Amino acid sequence: MKKEMVIVLDFGGQYNQLIARRVRECNVYCEVHPYNLGLDKIKEMNPKGIIFTGGPNSVYGEDAVRCEKEIFELGIPILGICYGSQLMSYMLGGKVTTAPVSEYGKTEVEVDTSSKLFKNISKKTICWMSHTDYIETAPEGFRVVAHTPVCPVAAMECPEKNLYAVQFHPEVMHTQEGTKMLSNFVYDVCQCAGDWKMSSFVETTIKEIREKVGNGKVLCALSGGVDSSVAAVLMSKAVGKQLTCVFVDQGLLRKDEGDEVEAVFGPNGHYDLNFIRVNAQERFYEKLKGVEEPEKKRKIIGEEFIRVFEEEAKKIGAVDYLVQGTIYPDVIESGLGKSAVIKSHHNVGGLPDCVDFQEIIEPLRLLFKDEVRKAGLELGIPEYLVYRQPFPGPGLGIRIIGEVNAEKVRIVQEADAIYREEIAKAGIDKDLGQYFAALTNMRSVGVMGDERTYDYAVALRAVTTSDFMTAECAEIPYEVLLKVTSRIINEVKGVNRVVYDLTSKPPGTIEFE
């Protein structure tokens, strides 16, 4: 039996895959496709529902992106979100214009609970708004089912045609009852059964990889982090000995991490992998000498990774595919598609133009971090590996502000090891999405042993997050911060000051660069 699915049509919004992820949380399979996916293809896919994403354009502007109007006549339930709601209104005869007052952030919305979309939702609920245009007048046949003091059509519906639209973003965590709204859409409007599980993703992906690879040879970029580890085990189950895992110790890993990775994945480790370790510390330091701009560092690290893999592939002989543990936040931050570039990830936007492989396989590309962990558990990977701290592909190269060298790497490695140790001792490590120490480019005057010092400041970072698209600063107990600060200043040569970063995402990113 063909699996039921909901499809998301992407109009250039930052949260397109986040919508899909929320639908999958409802145990309904969901895929993202471009806004101009043809009607014939949609009919062939036979989705139970369609969701229009947000987007950066005005529906009435010259640069507007629009789907075919006939989509509204297919009889398939549609939910428009933000730009998607405005598009539905505009194409069906409503009036969309520049809002007299723009709305951004958490907003109280008054909803009509008689709507299927708002079943069991509070009459006044907090939602996340982000718009400069708004629906001034709903199309004929629609009724308004939500509003704010400055947004007359915060939601509208035409139940007879199964058309629904919301001006706010139900997919983000800041919309307090957003997941419930999406659940109402997929179950009460689309009549989904909800029979999809992460195990289905694992089984389907393994099957698809086997079909794609055939008898080809595969090289996996193994960093030892959660994403690349899950990708490696997934590939191992799919193609077995056709897979070779190359672990590049580029001198930008956490303290002792190179040896730890080898202990897990090497010849005496847990998995039957062809494992190769390449010690390339000096090679990377030389490439990064004198480079301070973060995007340039990312590009250099990304290209050098690929060059190392190409060299190892030639030694192996005729490698057809390169596998990477790219996940969705990497993709969206790298500005692929219509999204703005936030930062290039070495395994996405940081790839060089010329890569000597037939194709790059990214089996986790559409998943978020917590979904990757679920997939890892489905694959039988031990919990201590699945739940280890996330680590960026460029490593400490982007946790060192400014130029990278061996001495700075030593400082941040030792400071980070102390921080992680004390967080674990305090028993709060499982409550945090990510935490690490970074080395700032600031040096300041201090007094140690009655003598003047002029040393670096270390910045501590800790956030709470589920999807890594948004994050809040974690409230680390003050006594823990004091203990960490004291240890770093006393034990790490070259540091005389420690600060704690309180920035959320947005406006910041989780990593420093």
Side-chain angles (χ1 to χ4, degrees):
M1 183 178 71
K2 190 173 182 181
K3 64 187 174 187
E4 62 180 14
M5 73 159 70
V6 169
I7 63 172
V8 174
L9 294 187
D10 179 19
F11 290 89
Q14 287 275 341
Y15 302 129
N16 50 16
Q17 279 292 342
L18 186 52
I19 297 169
R21 172 260 177 83
R22 296 291 181 230
V23 174
R24 293 196 296 263
E25 284 180 346
C26 297
N27 295 325
V28 175
Y29 183 67
C30 190
E31 292 180 351
V32 178
H33 293 275
Y35 71 91
N36 56 359
L37 185 69
L39 292 179
D40 289 341
K41 182 64 176 176
I42 292 174
K43 291 176 184 176
E44 180 185 323
M45 296 172 71
N46 191 29
K48 299 281 285 187
I50 299 170
I51 300 177
F52 292 175
T53 74
N57 303 317
S58 293
V59 295
Y60 50 80
E62 292 182 2
D63 56 353
V65 289
R66 304 186 186 114
C67 56
E68 297 174 76
K69 189 174 180 179
E70 290 77 14
I71 194 171
F72 299 108
E73 304 301 326
L74 294 178
I76 301 171
I78 299 176
L79 171 63
I81 294 175
C82 197
Y83 178 90
S85 71
Q86 296 166 11
L87 182 68
M88 182 184 295
S89 178
Y90 182 82
M91 295 184 72
L92 295 178
K95 185 177 181 182
V96 179
T97 186
T98 302
V101 179
S102 299
E103 288 180 301
Y104 296 100
K106 294 179 180 179
T107 305
E108 186 177 76
V109 177
E110 189 169 339
V111 305
D112 182 343
T113 56
S114 69
S115 168
K116 286 184 179 180
L117 203 60
F118 299 127
K119 187 181 79 173
N120 297 325
I121 302 294
S122 307
K123 289 187 176 181
K124 291 185 177 180
T125 185
I126 299 299
C127 301
W128 184 262
M129 289 282 193
S130 181
H131 67 100
T132 53
D133 289 343
Y134 76 158
I135 300 170
E136 185 175 302
T137 307
E140 185 178 347
F142 281 75
R143 73 181 186 108
V144 177
V145 290
H147 66 274
T148 75
V150 297
C151 184
V153 188
M156 65 180 190
E157 69 176 15
C158 180
E160 295 76 18
K161 292 188 176 181
N162 276 329
L163 302 179
Y164 295 80
V166 294
Q167 179 59 67
F168 52 84
H169 289 273
E171 70 274 21
V172 303
M173 297 300 290
H174 305 296
T175 297
Q176 292 178 354
E177 298 177 276
T179 299
K180 193 185 296 183
M181 296 173 193
L182 290 172
S183 177
N184 287 340
F185 177 70
V186 299
Y187 285 108
D188 295 337
V189 177
C190 301
Q191 298 294 305
C192 291
D195 54 6
W196 184 84
K197 307 287 184 186
M198 181 54 72
S199 57
S200 303
F201 167 82
V202 171
E203 292 167 8
T204 301
T205 304
I206 289 174
K207 181 181 178 183
E208 290 174 350
I209 289 169
R210 282 176 182 154
E211 292 175 354
K212 174 187 282 288
V213 172
N215 295 321
K217 288 187 178 180
V218 183
L219 182 62
C220 179
L222 177 63
S223 71
V226 177
D227 306 329
S228 70
S229 296
V230 172
V233 176
L234 191 65
M235 293 302 300
S236 177
K237 289 185 178 294
V239 300
K241 286 295 188 180
Q242 293 167 244
L243 172 68
T244 298
C245 290
V246 175
F247 166 57
V248 179
D249 187 343
Q250 83 290 51
L252 302 172
L253 299 171
R254 288 171 288 206
K255 187 175 181 180
D256 300 327
E257 193 159 34
D259 294 338
E260 291 172 0
V261 170
E262 185 170 0
V264 173
F265 290 99
N268 300 316
H270 302 286
Y271 302 102
D272 186 20
L273 299 172
N274 296 316
F275 178 85
I276 297 173
R277 177 174 178 173
V278 182
N279 292 313
Q281 296 91 332
E282 294 306 319
R283 175 173 175 168
F284 277 80
Y285 293 160
E286 185 62 31
K287 288 284 185 179
L288 291 168
K289 186 178 293 184
V291 179
E292 297 187 358
E293 206 278 319
E295 272 296 285
K296 192 172 181 181
K297 286 195 288 186
R298 286 176 176 272
K299 298 285 188 181
I300 290 171
I301 293 168
E303 178 157 357
E304 204 60 20
F305 261 115
I306 294 296
R307 297 304 165 230
V308 173
F309 294 142
E310 286 176 340
E311 291 167 12
E312 293 304 315
K314 287 174 183 175
K315 295 176 186 176
I316 298 166
V319 172
D320 304 292
Y321 300 93
L322 171 65
V323 175
Q324 297 189 136
T326 309
I327 64 173
Y328 185 66
D330 299 342
V331 175
I332 197 66
E333 287 185 340
S334 296
L336 299 197
K338 292 182 173 293
S339 304
V341 174
I342 298 169
K343 57 188 179 183
S344 294
H345 290 256
H346 83 281
N347 51 350
V348 190
L351 287 173
D353 293 331
C354 179
V355 181
D356 192 18
F357 297 100
Q358 178 179 320
E359 189 175 341
I360 293 176
I361 298 176
E362 297 169 317
L364 311 176
R365 186 182 180 87
L366 301 183
L367 301 186
F368 290 82
K369 183 71 72 175
D370 58 324
E371 292 183 307
V372 172
R373 288 188 167 124
K374 289 178 184 176
L377 294 175
E378 287 289 340
L379 288 163
I381 300 176
E383 281 196 19
Y384 75 89
L385 284 180
V386 170
Y387 288 102
R388 74 181 302 177
Q389 269 293 293
F391 193 60
L396 299 179
I398 57 168
R399 291 183 181 174
I400 295 172
I401 311 302
E403 183 182 7
V404 175
N405 59 44
E407 176 61 12
K408 288 183 176 181
V409 170
R410 177 197 62 79
I411 291 173
V412 75
Q413 281 179 335
E414 293 183 7
D416 182 71
I418 290 170
Y419 186 32
R420 289 186 288 122
E421 181 182 330
E422 292 300 330
I423 288 289
K425 280 183 182 177
I428 58 175
D429 50 320
K430 294 289 177 59
D431 301 326
L432 303 176
Q434 191 165 345
Y435 55 96
F436 58 88
L439 183 63
T440 74
N441 206 24
M442 179 184 77
R443 300 181 74 185
S444 63
V445 174
V447 179
M448 299 175 73
D450 294 327
E451 293 186 1
R452 177 185 185 275
T453 61
Y454 187 60
D455 287 327
Y456 286 106
V458 162
L460 304 178
R461 180 80 161 133
V463 298
T464 56
T465 181
S466 61
D467 53 38
F468 289 77
M469 290 293 289
T470 61
E472 297 289 340
C473 167
E475 296 184 22
I476 303 295
Y478 189 61
E479 61 272 17
V480 176
L481 291 176
L482 285 180
K483 180 70 178 295
V484 172
T485 299
S486 175
R487 283 196 60 193
I488 289 175
I489 290 174
N490 281 288
E491 297 176 31
V492 182
K493 184 180 178 182
V495 178
N496 67 358
R497 192 177 298 268
V498 176
V499 298
Y500 185 61
D501 181 10
L502 297 172
T503 313
S504 63
K505 175 187 180 180
T509 58
I510 295 176
E511 295 292 342
F512 271 62
E513 292 193 336

